[in-house]
Amino acid sequence: MTATVAEARSLPELEQRLSLVACGENTRLGKTRACDSCHARGHTLLRITSTGAADALAATICGTGDCRAKTCDPCKQKAVRMIRIYNEETE
């Protein structure tokens, strides 16, 4: 069973980690911080990630805001990675 957001060990650290993934942690060697835009969306990303809704998360990352709209493959991959990180952190 997955823990809720309130039960996570370190919410600020988890939120920062998810923001970094959404920002594209692999786009620049040694990148350790999310941009201001991704950082500002951190709480929203954490909430959506906690639900496991990969389509909604990908839409948020991609900027469409509509889970019915087509999102790009990199954003879909980021969403899956973020859900995996969340699940590992809250076990």
Side-chain angles (χ1 to χ4, degrees), residues 2 5 16 27 30 41 52 59 82:
T2 304
V5 173
Q16 288 177 8
T27 59
R41 294 185 299 163
M82 290 167 68

Side-chain angles (χ1 to χ4, degrees), residues 33-85:
R33 293 185 47 198
C35 70
D36 291 342
S37 177
C38 289
H39 180 70
R41 294 185 299 163
H43 184 71
T44 301
L45 294 170
L46 178 60
R47 286 278 180 202
I48 297 170
T49 302
S50 72
T51 68
D55 290 340
L57 185 56
T60 302
I61 297 165
C62 209
T64 64
D66 182 357
C67 60
R68 295 170 298 184
K70 183 165 175 58
T71 55
C72 66
D73 286 335
C75 288
K76 290 177 188 176
Q77 292 169 358
K78 289 176 188 178
V80 170
R81 178 167 164 68
M82 290 167 68
I83 292 169
R84 188 176 308 123
I85 289 169

